[in-house]
Each structure stands twice: as structure tokens, then as C-alpha cells.
Amino acid sequence: MPTTTTRVPQEERTRVMRSRLLDATVECLVERGFAGTSTTLVSERAGVSRGAQLHHFPTKNDLVVAAVEHLTEKRGAELAEAAAALPDGPRHTRAVLAMLADHFTGAVFAAALELWVAARTDESLLAAVEPLEQRIGREIHRITVDLLGVDESLPGNRELVQATLDLVRGLGLASTITDDSRRRAAILDRWSEVLEHALHHPDDTDGDQS
Amino acid sequence: MPTTTTRVPQEERTRVMRSRLLDATVECLVERGFAGTSTTLVSERAGVSRGAQLHHFPTKNDLVVAAVEHLTEKRGAELAEAAAALPDGPRHTRAVLAMLADHFTGAVFAAALELWVAARTDESLLAAVEPLEQRIGREIHRITVDLLGVDESLPGNRELVQATLDLVRGLGLASTITDDSRRRAAILDRWSEVLEHALHHPDDTDGDQS
């Protein structure tokens, strides 16, 4: 454990402690699953006292929901940053799909998956997970619309963005069982072609440019 | 418990008992999740003695893997039967997608999802689930190719079938948290249009019919 001195403000120490707890929770969820995650294990792994942990997150459900929320926000910011580095031109759509697929096959997705599946049969967890999942869903939808430059006022475009996200979610689920990165790449190649043809653009009306 | 008489052959009694155990296991997985499923609970629910249950399925893992396999086979046969009743003509693709989506939002999918996610962090379960998942994946792929009448020798078609299955798997995962049947219907409408345009057919070469 790092030593803390009186020169570190209380607020900053609290922030660091919460962050350590939430990172440790996601690690636990990824490595041991929801059933294998306990508040005791998390406080040990984070090097935070049981008392401090219980003060910030009284129950396991508080801890796991906060952890997935925290990591999703962090990951969302990383996604937005990575997006700035994406190539323009003909490979742009494919690069966006690769970024989304990376997100949905990574550790944050695995942790979220543990939470979603546990929430399916746990009412109190579901009450916390459902609004979180909807907020995450809206956020990733917004990022995808931005990245692909989609005009959602044109018919059918919104549904194509949603389908793209459900597709990468399905690929993410498959990847938890089998390492199928080659299969995934071929599917994304093909979907990229189809998506580029199928998305409507403001300037692709036939002749009528009014 | 139904009474058995000596006129019922042993083989038939065993078959019925196994089937009751496997049905009860899937019910347990759906209602209580993997962590909440125990061999004791299953034998009670099935009305089968602990001894008989342990004789047929010595461990929880044996039981859950056999249950998902059993139900997937039953459901596969139902799918094939339902397929015969699908409409021909312009609504055929959409009807196939509706059938697939129903499958991936039903009880068998929920039970399989519990198994997949538990296997992610349980090596011995993964060893049994991975080949099962691959067999199920190949089977549903084959059924989908048949139903849509896809010629997989043409470039890009195989990947579109795979993308379709990953899409409905993603929709299935989303449906475990939120009842989003309206959203799902709109996505499948759009996917159906895109799929019909994007799938290649043997007779759609441009002018060259050789």
C-alpha cells in the first residue's frame, strides 16, 4: 500500500481509494465472475480496509454497479480519444467497426456481461443495472453516430446503427467462449461494405437536390 | 410423482427420468441462474431421487451441459418444423428473422447464456461448453442457410449469415435486461431489407448468364 501523508488532501485520498476499489472490482468480475466476487476479496485486492470500503459501498451490488459505471465512463473517454486518430477515407467505416468490436470483446464488456446476467435473476440488482445499461447504450449509440457521420433523420439509418451495435454485442458474447478473431474480422469486413451501401446520405436522393 | 408399473420397460423409465431431470435443470437455470442452480434443487423439482440423479449425472456440470444440449436439440427440431410453415414471397426473409429472434430471446437461450457466462471463469465447464457451443453454432448456421436459401459458394454470403446470427445473439442478450421488442422489430425490418439486397444469388451476375 502506498503511504499517505497529511499533505495529500482528504478529497484526493478518497478519490484514489474509490478508484482502487472500483478497478479491483472489475478485475474480480473479469477473473472470477459475479458469483466469485465478494466485498472481502475486493477490499483485500484494492488494499483498502473493510471499514473504508463499507463506508463507500455498503453492499456488493453498490460496488459492482459503481464499478461497471466507472469503467464504462473511463472507456467511453478512451473511445472518443481513439476516434480522433481513425483514418479518413475508404477504410474509415471498417476502422470504426474494429474499434467497436475491440470495446465489446474487452475486459469492460466481460465485467458488464457478468453484471447483466446476474441481474437477470436478481431483482434488486436489475433495478440498478437497467438504467445503467440504458445510459451506456445511449452513449455508445451517440458515439457511433458521430464516428460514422450518420444522419439519423433519414429513414432506416437509426436502425442500422442499432443493428451494428447489436452485432458487435453478439460478437462480444461469442468471443467469451472461443477466440474467434479471424471469423470476427471477416464478418466486420463484409458488414462494413454493406453498411456503407445501406446508410442513406443527405445527398443521395435521385436527382432531386432541393 | 407418477407411479411406474413393471409393464413400463426399464429403458423407457430411464428416458423419462433423464428428460425430467434435464427439463428441471433448464427451468432452474432460467429462474435462478447458474449460481442458484444445484443438483439438490434439480432432483427435488424433477421428483427424482438423489441417488438416481447422481447415477445419471454425477456432477452439476454434467447436468447443466446435458440439459442445454438436450433442449437445444429439442428446440432445433421445433425450429425446423416451424420453418416449414413460413410464408414464401416478399415477407419470407423477415419471417425467418422473426423466428431466429424468437429463438434467441427464449428460455433455451437464457439457459445457454447462464452456461456460457459461467464457463468464462470455470475451466472444466468451459472444456464441455466450448464444443457444445460450436456444434450448436454450426447447426443454427446450417438451418439459417437452408431457410434463407443462401448459396454460400458466392463471396460474402457466408459472412452475412454469420452477421445475422451474431445480430440476433446480441438482440437476445439485450432482451435479458429490457423488454425491447419494439426496438427489436424495427431493427429486424431494416436488417431484412439490407439482407435481401446484399445477399448474392447465382443469377445476379450483370448480363453474363454463362
Side-chain angles (χ1 to χ4, degrees), chain A residues 153-176:
Chain A
S153 69
L154 299 172
N157 278 2
R158 181 174 174 73
E159 289 75 15
L160 279 179
V161 173
Q162 291 176 317
T164 299
L165 291 170
D166 282 299
L167 167 66
V168 288
R169 188 188 288 130
L171 290 171
L173 181 54
S175 79
T176 64

Side-chain angles (χ1 to χ4, degrees), chain B residues 140-198:
Chain B
I140 192 97
H141 185 97
R142 191 191 57 74
I143 292 174
T144 307
V145 165
D146 275 2
L147 288 179
L148 292 175
V150 174
D151 182 343
E152 287 203 293
S153 70
L154 299 173
N157 278 3
R158 181 173 173 75
E159 289 76 14
L160 278 180
V161 173
Q162 290 176 316
T164 299
L165 291 170
D166 282 300
L167 167 68
V168 288
R169 188 189 288 130
L171 290 171
L173 181 55
S175 80
T176 63
I177 294 291
T178 318
D179 172 22
D180 60 349
S181 44
R182 276 182 57 195
R183 182 185 84 98
R184 191 160 59 241
I187 293 172
L188 294 175
D189 285 344
R190 186 70 175 113
W191 189 270
S192 170
E193 289 173 7
V194 169
L195 199 56
E196 283 180 354
H197 278 93

Side-chain angles (χ1 to χ4, degrees), chain B:
Chain B
M1 277 181 66
T3 55
T4 51
T5 75
T6 49
R7 284 179 306 166
V8 180
Q10 177 62 31
E11 201 177 289
E12 170 64 7
R13 274 184 292 153
T14 298
R15 201 193 56 75
V16 169
M17 184 199 292
R18 285 178 63 99
S19 177
R20 276 220 310 272
L21 281 168
L22 300 177
D23 287 340
T25 304
V26 168
E27 284 168 26
C28 259
L29 285 171
V30 171
E31 286 171 26
R32 295 166 181 250
F34 184 83
T37 296
S38 69
T39 53
T40 318
L41 211 61
V42 168
S43 62
E44 275 170 18
R45 185 185 280 247
V48 169
S49 75
R50 286 284 286 160
Q53 190 236 82
L54 289 170
H55 174 72
H56 290 289
F57 304 101
T59 69
K60 174 176 167 179
N61 280 5
D62 294 330
L63 195 56
V64 292
V65 171
V68 168
E69 186 165 21
H70 167 74
L71 264 280
T72 304
E73 275 165 15
K74 240 170 86 171
R75 189 75 190 102
E78 286 168 16
L79 271 181
E81 212 173 296
L86 288 182
D88 275 336
R91 299 290 295 162
H92 180 75
T93 301
R94 184 62 183 81
V96 171
L97 294 180
M99 216 179 81
L100 290 172
D102 284 350
H103 175 68
F104 278 88
T105 53
V108 175
F109 176 75
L113 180 63
E114 290 289 338
L115 214 57
W116 291 338
V117 171
R120 204 184 62 76
T121 52
D122 178 336
E123 268 184 50
S124 67
L125 186 57
L126 184 62
V129 166
E130 192 173 354
L132 172 60
E133 202 278 331
Q134 290 180 346
R135 208 164 67 240
I136 293 176
R138 278 195 297 271
E139 177 66 9
I140 192 97
H141 185 97
R142 191 191 57 74
I143 292 174
T144 307
V145 165
D146 275 2
L147 288 179
L148 292 175
V150 174
D151 182 343
E152 287 203 293
S153 70
L154 299 173
N157 278 3
R158 181 173 173 75
E159 289 76 14
L160 278 180
V161 173
Q162 290 176 316
T164 299
L165 291 170
D166 282 300
L167 167 68
V168 288
R169 188 189 288 130
L171 290 171
L173 181 55
S175 80
T176 63
I177 294 291
T178 318
D179 172 22
D180 60 349
S181 44
R182 276 182 57 195
R183 182 185 84 98
R184 191 160 59 241
I187 293 172
L188 294 175
D189 285 344
R190 186 70 175 113
W191 189 270
S192 170
E193 289 173 7
V194 169
L195 199 56
E196 283 180 354
H197 278 93
L199 281 170
H200 295 298
H201 299 286
D203 55 356
D204 62 12
T205 51
D206 290 322
D208 180 7
Q209 301 288 331
S210 65

Side-chain angles (χ1 to χ4, degrees), chain A residues 23-53:
Chain A
D23 286 342
T25 304
V26 168
E27 285 168 27
C28 260
L29 284 171
V30 171
E31 286 171 26
R32 295 168 181 248
F34 184 83
T37 296
S38 70
T39 53
T40 317
L41 211 62
V42 168
S43 61
E44 275 169 21
R45 184 185 281 246
V48 169
S49 75
R50 285 285 286 160
Q53 190 237 80

